[in-house]
Amino acid sequence: MTYRLFEGKHHASIYQRYRFVPPEEIRDIILHYLERKNSRLLAPHFQEVVGIDISEKGTAEELPFPDGSVDLLTASSAAHWFDQQSFLLEAGRVLKPCGCLALLDFADNFRLHYGSCGDRLTDIYDEFKKVLLPYTSTQVAVPNTKLQDLYAAIPFPDKERIECIPLKQQISVRNIVGFIESFSMYQAFQRAEPDAATALLQRTHDRFLKEMGVTSPDTLIDVTLEYFCVLASKPE
């Protein structure tokens, strides 16, 4: 089954604008893994990079590449939406011998830090998510398992999972609110109850500012979370 949740223009726009950029450490981990698994050095550059979002051009379950043509197949914050069996079959088909699969995501261990009120800000964030529980797909919880089931199902014997890759950055209250607006469950809530959803988002925005004792949504907050990465190499 292919999930089609991010095709609306507004949702796609806020997703692109407000989602976190994975830490550079993950890029280095993936490239180091590639170098260990391939006789040639792939790290400096690739001849071609192809990005696919769910569209008529292809999906994770139907990749538009010839057999044995891909050096690296990667997905960020997306693998929990894939049909596991179909995706792994496609990965095995399109990867070259010694080609690598790299899946990265972050678990739901989001923490906010601002002066002495960080715990209360995190509580506000958690309360926002609780309201969305009736609209939350079971797939949303999959990253919290570090893709355990998908990792176990990868048929390549050479595989590893790297956890606890920290990300810490400063983002504004405005961007935090944009980030939570991009949640698939918030978008589902908005489709079902648009007025209630808009009110919840505004109330959460206002609670953040009040708790911090500021008025500007451009005030910066420290955010911490942890990424993980699943790596696998197709046999020769």
Side-chain angles (χ1 to χ4, degrees):
M1 175 182 178
T2 299
Y3 289 87
R4 308 185 74 97
L5 299 176
F6 304 95
E7 295 179 291
K9 289 184 178 180
H10 177 67
H11 193 187
S13 175
I14 59 176
Y15 195 95
Q16 181 181 32
R17 182 175 181 181
Y18 294 117
R19 283 283 164 150
F20 294 101
V21 176
E24 290 189 3
E25 182 181 350
I26 287 187
R27 179 202 61 190
D28 296 338
I29 288 170
I30 293 172
L31 292 176
H32 179 64
Y33 187 80
L34 279 166
E35 291 172 13
R36 287 195 289 117
K37 303 304 175 185
N38 291 271
S39 59
R40 59 198 182 284
L41 183 65
L42 295 176
H45 61 273
F46 291 91
Q47 290 184 341
E48 183 179 12
V49 176
V50 180
I52 296 178
D53 204 345
I54 187 167
S55 67
E56 295 178 358
K57 294 182 179 180
T59 68
E61 298 83 4
E62 296 182 16
L63 295 168
F65 307 119
D67 295 358
S69 63
V70 175
D71 288 299
L72 170 65
L73 182 62
T74 184
S76 177
S77 299
H80 55 293
W81 295 113
F82 298 167
D83 180 282
Q84 178 177 292
Q85 182 177 6
S86 298
F87 168 67
L88 291 178
L89 286 172
E90 274 294 86
R93 179 184 69 80
V94 303
L95 284 171
K96 295 178 180 179
C98 294
C100 293
L101 174 66
L103 307 173
L104 52 144
D105 208 335
F106 57 88
D108 191 12
N109 50 14
F110 194 79
R111 303 291 300 177
L112 301 174
H113 309 271
Y114 185 85
S116 61
C117 65
D119 288 344
R120 294 190 294 278
L121 294 176
T122 302
D123 288 343
I124 293 171
Y125 168 79
D126 289 339
E127 289 167 15
F128 177 91
K129 290 189 301 177
K130 286 181 181 178
V131 176
L132 302 180
L133 282 176
Y135 303 92
T136 302
S137 165
T138 55
Q139 300 306 114
V140 171
V142 172
N144 291 333
T145 71
K146 312 294 194 301
L147 299 179
Q148 179 177 342
D149 290 345
L150 192 151
Y151 176 77
I154 293 173
F156 309 153
D158 189 342
K159 58 185 177 181
E160 60 184 281
R161 185 170 53 185
I162 301 172
E163 303 180 17
C164 301
I165 305 168
L167 174 67
K168 181 178 181 180
Q169 66 182 56
Q170 285 191 322
I171 63 174
S172 67
V173 173
R174 186 192 310 277
N175 282 25
I176 291 173
V177 173
F179 170 68
I180 61 180
E181 185 184 2
S182 75
F183 290 175
S184 60
M185 53 277 207
Y186 176 79
Q187 293 295 316
F189 182 31
Q190 190 172 57
R191 288 191 295 272
E193 302 182 56
D195 292 341
T198 299
L200 173 65
L201 195 67
Q202 184 63 50
R203 185 165 63 250
T204 301
H205 168 277
D206 295 345
R207 290 181 68 193
F208 280 143
L209 294 181
K210 182 177 180 180
E211 190 63 55
M212 295 164 63
V214 300
T215 58
S216 172
D218 295 318
T219 304
L220 297 178
I221 300 177
D222 289 324
V223 177
T224 58
L225 64 158
E226 290 182 348
Y227 272 79
F228 62 89
C229 187
V230 169
L231 300 168
S233 178
K234 181 178 176 178
E236 294 189 44

